[in-house]
Amino acid sequence: MKILLTLIICSYIQGSCLQPYEWPIQYDSMYDCMQAGYKHSQSKMKEIGRVEVNKHQIYIRFICVPAAST
């Protein structure tokens, strides 16, 4: 079973989130997905930058769920 990672970028100030972004890579285990979620969330925060994160009080949530069978 493959696992899907979805990142959700939100702002406390605006009280809203962007559309969820489904990561293009599927993972072989929940552990691998969770590790990737923390890694990619941290990378995205660095990309957004300290000023914007603080200005908009941005936070990132992520979820790992089993991929639907096709």
Side-chain angles (χ1 to χ4, degrees), residues 2-8 27 29-38 61-67:
K2 292 291 188 173
I3 307 294
L4 297 175
L5 169 64
T6 302
L7 297 179
I8 307 162
Y27 297 91
S29 70
M30 185 63 76
Y31 179 87
D32 293 339
C33 182
M34 294 295 292
Q35 288 291 322
Y38 286 114
R61 301 176 354 196
F62 68 87
I63 56 173
C64 294
V65 296

Side-chain angles (χ1 to χ4, degrees), residues 1-2 4 26 65-70:
M1 163 180 29
K2 292 291 188 173
L4 297 175
Q26 294 184 5
V65 296
S69 298
T70 56

Side-chain angles (χ1 to χ4, degrees), residues 8-60:
I8 307 162
I9 301 173
C10 303
S11 165
Y12 280 120
I13 296 290
Q14 294 168 336
S16 63
C17 300
L18 297 176
Q19 288 287 351
Y21 174 74
E22 190 173 289
W23 206 256
I25 298 170
Q26 294 184 5
Y27 297 91
D28 293 325
S29 70
M30 185 63 76
Y31 179 87
D32 293 339
C33 182
M34 294 295 292
Q35 288 291 322
Y38 286 114
K39 175 185 170 188
H40 295 308
S41 293
Q42 185 177 34
S43 177
K44 182 55 81 174
M45 290 297 268
K46 288 179 182 178
E47 181 182 320
I48 295 168
R50 179 185 302 270
V51 171
E52 291 300 308
V53 168
N54 289 333
K55 178 179 176 183
H56 300 286
Q57 295 184 10
I58 292 172
Y59 62 98
I60 298 177

